[in-house]
């Protein structure tokens, strides 16, 4: 059963490599669709990771170090995007941040900000599905960090913010780095929430996964070439992590 399970997971990628149009790869990757989509994917994934770091690290600290009513429910809600279909997340974002949404209507009338079907909307959709990866990784690192260093810093007169910045963050740096890489990779490969909330407009919201979907209908060889690019990025991420996602708390 173990061999069958391994083959089930590996053979699709082997098939992708075997059937790839290697001779036509330079021509396929030099088209007008590939590089704009790749550039947009890199920019939005990096921006989504920055948003995840800005909001996810404090959230992970809150869940790991603070006792408050409903903490278990909060942790469940944070991990909900991991198991929820991304397209459902896109619909939820549209109902909240859309032009007629709960918050989107206020953003549009008060500040003239419209998120759906914009590049900023892509960043929002990617951050929504990617942030839980960072939160879980950082929370695990915080759970494995020795709190005696933080307590010693507090007894010496340091404020909580100084302790967090000078003691806690260096202790959990491997977990933060692993979570950031995972969030970036997840944002780079996001499809469902992006196409639902931001649409598929070339040069504006068409990321690389959306370009793969579009090319699959018109040019299957081009779709395979783009898929190989995403596969290469995913492999690079896994090699960069080197098991730190699961061992970041002990690093």
């Amino acid at each position: 059963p173990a061999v069958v399970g391994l083959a089930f997971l590996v053979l699709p990628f082997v098939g992708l490599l075997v059937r790839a149009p290697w001779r036509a790869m330079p021509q396929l990757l030099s088209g007008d669709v590939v590089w704009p989509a790749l550039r947009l994917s890199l920019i939005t994934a990096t921006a989504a990771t920055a948003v995840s770091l800005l909001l996810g690290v404090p959230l992970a600290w809150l869940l790991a170090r603070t006792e408050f009513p409903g903490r278990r429910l909060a942790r469940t809600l944070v991990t909900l995007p991991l198991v929820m279909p991304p397209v459902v997340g896109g619909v939820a974002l549209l109902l909240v941040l859309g032009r007629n949404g709960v918050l989107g209507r206020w953003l549009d009338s008060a500040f003239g900000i419209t998120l759906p079907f914009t590049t900023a909307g892509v960043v929002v959709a990617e951050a929504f599905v990617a942030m839980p990866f960072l939160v879980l990784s950082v929370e695990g690192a915080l759970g494995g960090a020795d709190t005696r260093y933080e307590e010693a810093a507090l007894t010496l007169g340091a404020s909580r913010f100084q302790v967090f910045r000078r003691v806690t963050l260096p202790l959990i740096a491997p977990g933060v780095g692993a979570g950031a890489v995972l969030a970036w990779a997840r944002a780079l490969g996001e499809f469902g929430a992006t196409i639902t909330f931001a649409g598929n407009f070339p040069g504006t919201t068409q990321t690389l996964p959306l370009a793969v979907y579009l090319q699959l209908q018109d040019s299957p060889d081009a779709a395979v070439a783009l898929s190989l690019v995403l596969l290469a990025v995913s492999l690079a991420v896994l090699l960069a992590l080197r098991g730190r996602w699961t061992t970041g708390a002990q690093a």
Side-chain angles (χ1 to χ4, degrees), residues 136-151:
L136 289 179
S137 181
V138 175
E139 186 183 359
L142 284 167
D146 194 340
T147 59
R148 290 178 297 178
Y149 298 105
E150 297 168 307
E151 294 169 356

Side-chain angles (χ1 to χ4, degrees), residues 14-28 224 228:
V14 174
L16 187 65
L17 294 173
V18 171
R19 298 296 300 272
W22 295 106
R23 293 183 179 180
M25 194 69 68
Q27 180 181 358
L28 293 172
V224 172
L228 287 175

